[in-house]
Amino acid sequence: MSTKEEIEESSVSEGLLKRNGSTGGGSTGSLRWVDGSEVIDEEVFDKNELEIIRENTYGSFRRRLKKPRRVDSLDVESMQIKGVHGGSHHKKDVPLLATLSLAFQTLGVVYGDMGTSPLYVFSDVFSKVQITSEVDVLGALSIVLYTIALIPLMKYVFIVLKANDNGEGGTFALYSLICRYANVNLLPNRTPADECISSFKLRLPTPELERAVYIKEILERKSSLKTLLLLLVLTGTSMIIGDGILTPAISVMSAVSGLEGRIPGFNTDALVIISIIILGGLFSIQRFGSSKVGFTFAPALALWFFSLGSIGLYNLLTHDVTVIRAVNPAYIYLFFKKNLTNGWSALGGCVLCITGAEAMFADLGHFSVKSIQIAFTSVVFPCLLLAYFGQAAFLMQYPQSAGRIFYDSIPNSLFWPVFLIATVAAIIASQAMISASFSCVKQAMALGCFPRVKIIHTSKEHMGQIYIPVINWFLMIMCMLVVAAFRSTTSIANAYGIAEVGVMIVTTTLVTIVMVLIWQTNLILALCFPLVFGTMELVYMSAVLSKILEGGWLPLVFASLFLCVMYIWNYGSVLKYQSEVKQKISLDFMDELGCSLGTVRVPGIGLLYNELVQGIPSIFAQFLLDLPAIHSVIVFVCIKHVPVPVVPQEERFLFRRICPKDYHMFRCVARYGYKDVRKEEHHFFEQLLVDSLEKFLRNESLDLALETKQSQPEFDSKFARPTDNTEVGVDELKVPLMRDQILEIGTTTSEPSIIAASGNEDPSLEYELSALHKASESGFTYLLGHGDVRAKKNSWFIKKLTINYFYSFLRRNCRGGNATMRVPHMNIMQVGMTYMV
């Protein structure tokens, strides 16, 4: 800490002490940690049980244990909650009929993008390669067939879908899964209490497989690897958002392009105008919400896949059934031998056949692994194969139709019905990627990697259905600009491939880490995954990168823009959190202030929001200086996002007392997963908080009564006073373990009878509950800090530019903390504070 900072902290302390009128008038009693549950003491465990615990402690074996694990009261409370509720959240087996119903629904959400790829794949491929022999057609068809069979089928359906995070998929889900097994999150707010969440279950490494432990230690030790992993995840997320721009543009234009040649005078200008009108309508209805899970889109897509399969089978049998020879991979070699550089460029068009494959994993949270597997293997895969076989058979007889292969291959009597179905399918495919972009932004916000923006939940039944106005209008404007600038699906396809392949490479890398670190797969088998699929994707990437000057620069610009925004926000947030940790108020200073806190205590409950999971934030001292009085009950509320999809409601809140009883100060950690919806009304939240706090106080009184009953002569000397810089360890607390007694009594006797058995109800409990109810009746006040983050004068120029300008710009223009809570302005108090990082 610099001299200037020390002077500022000293001045704040002196000001508060002067208002108190003394320098040491605090509580004279010793401080103990009160948490409503017991603290575990190693001495009470059976030796065998202790050996098992030490063997299963993640990332450490007995020979690596140098000191006992330090226990925090929040950690102990979380253990108690997990023991009560942990077994009620396991997923039950879904009946077959329900799985088939989900499989039908996936057609309308997951496979819309991949299902519309026959509209433009061959037209883009043969814009680079002229059809002069059957080798051109059979070679391109063979590449498409093996691409679909290897990447969506083998990679995603049979491998990647298993790397889900309690049923959630996507790049951030993989990142949160890795963060649970290895502490690689750059925000240092992880506590052992998080590991007691029922959805935080881990498969711990065994002593026989220390490779996983070794990799974990490397990831945790090297900050450069943590940053690299975060950048990899942010890059994949940025490219998914880029898909949200390119997918609507190419899908809608491909569908509307069918009118060219059918309506006289329908030229490129008309194509662009109609496409822009459709896109405007598509994005305008987003605010009404979409049926993310349901049968709204499934029938239309089911009809679309039926049309693809039927028309493909008709063309295959009518024109040239011998195209099934393309199953021979030798035609791939002949294709590249004949076309050389042009064939390499055409490879970028072939990769468009798997556009939307990432949606199979990203939308996993709305369905199930089995439903997605059934839908792809029984409907999507065979229909796509028939569609491409049919188009190839048509091209064998009519090679001049390569530019409009899809619509030219449709029988004349079916053109208009298929055109309408294709347009609807294109809109549905666009809808799926727009919703995926919203979900990615929400997950990034929850993990501290995106500025706060307004999120509207459009469904009371399905928490995944959200609408983000700022992102929606940004996507709409970008889509319209892309259509107006490129004016053809071929040009947009050049840009589209880079985003798709980039996301796949990121997924391959993260799943490989999961295989080695978590699944503990055999090293040779684990390396085969990136060797096979990673090599294919790198080959595709080299082909699409050759189109940078032809439009491939566009997704790189989009990805770079979102990557910079997300990384700068995360970087600034981490520095701000570290600054708060360094400047937190010591408990010695609170003792000097006394229970009056150097000011007047008035009835009411003050909810001070901060990001610290432990300690008293420095912003509290600013409130004591600026306000003429402070509330009789102070609760430090920390809204913490943990790397799990959902935190059960009964496991959401953890309480602890952070000062002696007469201070009436508590900490509440409210934990949310990255899929959780924070939509509680403030009245509901306040009542829930008071009820939870009252339960906490009763549990505390119960535990004190039980401890008093079985107290030992040296009981008073066994309580250690925690400081702001250390946590209380097992050896320091030495609280007698009564887990067996508590469980035994709890199964036969009610809670009030236990207190009665140990004597009259604690008078201090009656007084504290009465004070709590009186404060609750007086009302709640939300104490919010408006922090300004500035780089120190001796910082590097890049850091000053990033923090003082870019990060400050994002903080000024993002959604304020008070806006996320629907609280009347008269109940909010804010003070400003500058953090030097």
Side-chain angles (χ1 to χ4, degrees), residues 38 44 49 737-747:
E38 291 299 325
V44 187
E49 294 176 350
L737 177 70
M738 290 173 287
R739 175 180 294 269
D740 296 334
Q741 293 91 326
I742 292 176
L743 292 178
E744 182 179 356
I745 296 174
T747 56

Side-chain angles (χ1 to χ4, degrees), residues 468-543:
I468 305 178
V470 174
I471 302 299
N472 181 70
W473 301 124
F474 175 80
L475 294 179
M476 185 190 73
I477 294 173
M478 291 296 104
C479 276
M480 292 181 174
L481 290 178
V482 167
V483 170
F486 286 82
R487 300 175 65 84
S488 71
T489 56
T490 301
S491 299
I492 299 177
N494 294 335
Y496 198 26
I498 294 180
E500 281 292 326
V501 180
V503 176
M504 293 177 184
I505 292 175
V506 171
T507 301
T508 299
T509 306
L510 295 177
V511 171
T512 302
I513 297 176
V514 170
M515 284 182 168
V516 177
L517 178 65
I518 302 172
W519 293 354
Q520 300 170 17
T521 309
N522 182 275
L523 189 60
I524 297 178
L525 294 178
L527 293 179
C528 286
F529 181 77
L531 187 63
V532 175
F533 299 107
T535 301
M536 284 185 60
E537 290 157 359
L538 288 176
V539 170
Y540 278 126
M541 179 60 78
S542 65

